[in-house]
Amino acid sequence: MALLLLAGAAAAAIWSGVRSLDAPLRLSMPLRFKVPPGASFAHVATELAAQGVVARPKAWIFYARFKGLAQAVKAGEYEVQPGVTPRELLMKMVNGQVLLHSFTIVDGWRVQDLFEALRRNPEIVSTLPEQASPAARDTDVMAKLGSAGTDAEGQFLPETYRFIGGTTDIELLRQAHAALLRELEAAWRDRDPDLPLHTANELLIMASIVQKESGVPQELPKIAGLYLHRLSIGMRLQADPTVIYGLGQHYDGDIHTVDLRSDGPYNTYTRAGLPPTPIALAGAAVIRATARPEKTDAIYFVASTKGDGSHVFSATLEQHNAAVAAYVAHQRKAAQESPR
């Protein structure tokens, strides 16, 4: 009789433990926790029990071992939502459904902006040398990415990348560089056959200029067409963003006459053709727009009076001067009417 009572009690305990695996964890808000590399499932269960999350850790450990799942738990960072059961959480860890973080490379960033954003992100392991000169650092990065000799500017595709906490900066840069090469190769392969460009790198350089000239998506093909038209007729690009890029830290927020007249590799007012490298990180839409630009006879453009970032395009200097005069008059009127 005693044996029967003991057996019954044991069965009841096992049944109670099994039922606890389908009862929601004790959570009032999402919980993040990490499974360190090499940690046993028993260690994880004990830690969660100590936090008051798991009510029956021994039953959970027994179940995981009985099912042969205890050794299959993957290391990483996990996020658990209220309502999840121990059984569901176990399978989440077995399947390695770790928490993914997001990192966005912004269209128009310079590579320096990208490196600084990587360094500031607490979920990304920084390996880039902080004391190295920008040139030495860029050279080192591109060598690690298998593109030694390539200037780092423009070589990373603006996009949102998902990653596991603890990913290194160089690994994210590798993904972004590979994405850029794929996008550039596809755009170059599908380019307008009349494009006055000779290489995919020239396409990337031109796209970076277009990227810095307008934030209005529907204008991108026309601005690309305008600059490519200038290039095809032998006209200097006269692109302010290239001058600003060449000024580097000396740029004070305004372009002065002396800046336009000071010759340098990035001064497209004094030099014909493209600058030697991209001047920013060009997005996929800009690269495609530059590879398939709008046909236009316009060679001038100026900001419109709409205030929406759009431009007025002109085919003659006379038309352009009239558009500039209208813009200046509009700005003066707005300044007079604004409260002081």
Side-chain angles (χ1 to χ4, degrees), residues 8-22:
I14 292 173
W15 175 243
S16 176
V18 170
R19 284 196 306 170
S20 74
L21 300 180
D22 294 313

Side-chain angles (χ1 to χ4, degrees), residues 12 26 48 96 132 142 156 158-159 163 209 219 221 256 300 312-313 325:
R26 296 170 174 176
L48 291 177
M142 296 312 295
F156 307 96
E159 191 174 294
F163 67 95
I209 297 174
E219 277 193 352
H256 307 280
Y300 303 103
V312 175
F313 297 84

Side-chain angles (χ1 to χ4, degrees), residues 196-332:
L197 300 172
H198 302 98
T199 66
N201 186 55
E202 288 189 354
L203 171 61
L204 184 61
I205 294 172
M206 180 60 82
S208 74
I209 297 174
V210 176
Q211 178 71 73
K212 297 298 289 185
E213 284 288 16
S214 179
V216 181
Q218 54 269 36
E219 277 193 352
L220 296 176
K222 189 156 190 173
I223 289 180
L226 181 148
Y227 274 121
L228 289 163
H229 181 43
R230 285 184 182 179
L231 195 64
S232 67
I233 63 176
M235 179 180 174
R236 291 176 183 175
L237 294 182
Q238 299 180 0
D240 290 355
T242 66
V243 176
I244 293 171
Y245 185 84
L247 289 172
Q249 294 182 345
H250 297 292
Y251 178 60
D252 63 7
D254 291 307
I255 298 179
H256 307 280
T257 301
V258 66
D259 299 328
L260 299 179
R261 293 177 178 173
S262 299
D263 185 42
Y266 290 92
N267 190 337
T268 52
Y269 282 82
T270 61
R271 298 195 183 190
L274 295 167
T277 71
I279 61 169
L281 305 182
V286 180
I287 293 173
R288 294 170 193 158
T290 306
R292 284 279 177 180
E294 181 179 325
K295 302 289 186 181
T296 180
D297 59 354
I299 52 176
Y300 303 103
F301 68 116
V302 67
S304 75
T305 59
K306 296 179 181 178
D308 59 358
S310 62
H311 296 83
V312 175
F313 297 84
S314 304
T316 68
L317 183 58
E318 181 181 15
Q319 294 171 343
H320 178 60
N321 287 339
V324 170
Y327 177 74
V328 171
H330 177 268
Q331 292 299 96
R332 285 175 178 169

Side-chain angles (χ1 to χ4, degrees), residues 40-236:
S40 67
F41 177 69
H43 171 80
V44 176
T46 302
E47 286 291 313
L48 291 177
Q51 296 179 44
V53 175
V54 179
R56 303 285 295 274
K58 290 184 179 179
W60 201 26
I61 295 168
F62 173 81
Y63 174 79
R65 289 173 176 171
F66 178 74
K67 288 290 188 178
L69 300 174
Q71 299 298 319
V73 169
K74 309 294 192 302
E77 184 179 10
Y78 293 87
E79 183 172 81
V80 190
Q81 300 293 331
V84 170
T85 68
R87 197 191 304 268
E88 291 169 340
L89 176 54
L90 174 61
M91 294 313 301
K92 185 182 182 77
M93 291 187 286
V94 168
N95 294 327
Q97 295 174 320
V98 296
L99 175 66
L100 294 178
H101 301 274
S102 296
F103 179 77
T104 299
I105 300 177
V106 178
D107 297 44
W109 267 1
R110 294 182 181 183
V111 73
Q112 176 66 31
D113 301 321
L114 169 57
F115 291 162
E116 289 177 357
L118 286 169
R119 189 174 293 115
R120 290 193 303 267
N121 193 305
E123 304 300 336
I124 299 171
V125 176
S126 181
T127 65
L128 302 181
E130 293 188 29
Q131 302 304 320
S133 68
R137 178 206 55 209
D138 294 0
T139 298
D140 179 62
V141 166
M142 296 312 295
K144 288 179 178 177
L145 298 181
S147 295
T150 301
D151 192 280
E153 192 64 79
Q155 293 299 319
F156 307 96
L157 188 69
E159 191 174 294
T160 295
Y161 297 87
R162 303 275 283 170
F163 67 95
I164 298 171
T167 296
T168 64
D169 45 19
I170 200 68
E171 178 54 36
L172 276 172
L173 290 172
R174 181 173 286 109
Q175 293 179 40
H177 181 53
L180 181 281
L181 294 179
R182 288 194 299 271
E183 186 63 45
L184 187 60
E185 180 183 353
W188 182 249
R189 188 170 55 244
D190 189 46
R191 70 189 183 279
D192 185 326
D194 296 327
L195 217 59
L197 300 172
H198 302 98
T199 66
N201 186 55
E202 288 189 354
L203 171 61
L204 184 61
I205 294 172
M206 180 60 82
S208 74
I209 297 174
V210 176
Q211 178 71 73
K212 297 298 289 185
E213 284 288 16
S214 179
V216 181
Q218 54 269 36
E219 277 193 352
L220 296 176
K222 189 156 190 173
I223 289 180
L226 181 148
Y227 274 121
L228 289 163
H229 181 43
R230 285 184 182 179
L231 195 64
S232 67
I233 63 176
M235 179 180 174
R236 291 176 183 175

